[in-house]
């Protein structure tokens, strides 16, 4: 599947759909933080997501119930690979050392990750 980049707002709506699995626009809006966006705004973004091929719908008369066509894990993998390719020359080691240097990962976490990797290699 060819995954497309999502804007911040599109990603926020996808988070809701991944959580709810299937939802009408009103249900999506109810999950969003206050102040709630207008129904028409959410509906427009939903149509954009549909055009990007990441959601589809079931028709119930004039209303539609939307559902994701990609999993959260598929999108996370896509975004992670994009991050690796664009900023770290596809090197997990370079990315990991960056996070350690920036104190986003402390040494205790780093040790736990290394133990996890060792177990996976066995």
């Amino acid at each position: 599947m060819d995954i497309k980049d999502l804007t911040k707002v599109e990603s926020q709506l996808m988070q809701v759909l991944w959580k709810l699995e299937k939802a009408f626009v009103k249900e999506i809006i109810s999950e969003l933080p206050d102040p709630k966006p207008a129904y028409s705004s959410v509906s427009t973004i939903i149509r954009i997501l549909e055009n990007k091929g990441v959601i589809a719908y079931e028709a119930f008369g004039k209303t539609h119930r939307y559902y994701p066509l990609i999993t959260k894990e598929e999108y996370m993998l896509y975004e992670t690979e994009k991050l690796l390719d664009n900023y770290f020359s596809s090197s997990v080691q370079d990315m990991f050392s960056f996070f350690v240097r920036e104190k986003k990962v402390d040494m205790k976490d780093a040790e736990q990750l290394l133990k996890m990797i060792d177990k996976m290699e066995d």
Side-chain angles (χ1 to χ4, degrees), residues 13-118:
L13 292 187
M14 285 303 296
Q15 294 290 339
V16 172
L17 270 176
W18 285 319
K19 176 183 170 188
L20 298 178
E21 297 177 4
K22 292 182 177 183
F24 296 98
V25 172
K26 286 182 180 181
E27 294 171 321
I28 294 169
I29 292 169
S30 71
E31 293 289 319
L32 296 172
D34 290 327
K36 305 284 189 207
Y39 183 96
S40 59
S41 300
V42 174
S43 187
T44 298
I45 296 163
I46 290 290
R47 280 193 299 281
I48 292 168
L49 290 168
E50 187 183 347
N51 289 335
K52 287 185 173 186
V54 295
I55 67 169
Y57 66 85
E58 301 168 307
F60 293 90
K62 292 183 178 183
T63 188
H64 297 141
R65 181 168 63 180
Y66 297 92
Y67 58 91
L69 292 174
I70 60 170
T71 66
K72 185 175 183 176
E73 290 73 22
E74 287 170 324
Y75 195 71
M76 286 170 48
L77 181 60
Y78 167 77
E79 283 292 328
T80 303
E81 287 175 349
K82 192 172 75 171
L83 177 71
L84 266 174
D85 292 345
N86 291 340
Y87 296 98
F88 299 102
S89 306
S90 300
S91 169
V92 173
Q93 182 177 344
D94 288 353
M95 184 174 76
F96 185 73
S97 62
F98 169 79
F99 286 122
V100 171
R101 276 195 318 274
E102 294 298 314
K103 302 198 181 1
K104 302 294 182 192
V105 176
D106 63 27
M107 290 313 292
K108 183 178 177 184
D109 290 337
E111 287 173 14
Q112 286 180 320
L113 285 169
L114 291 172
K115 286 178 186 174
M116 213 168 66
I117 291 167
D118 282 344

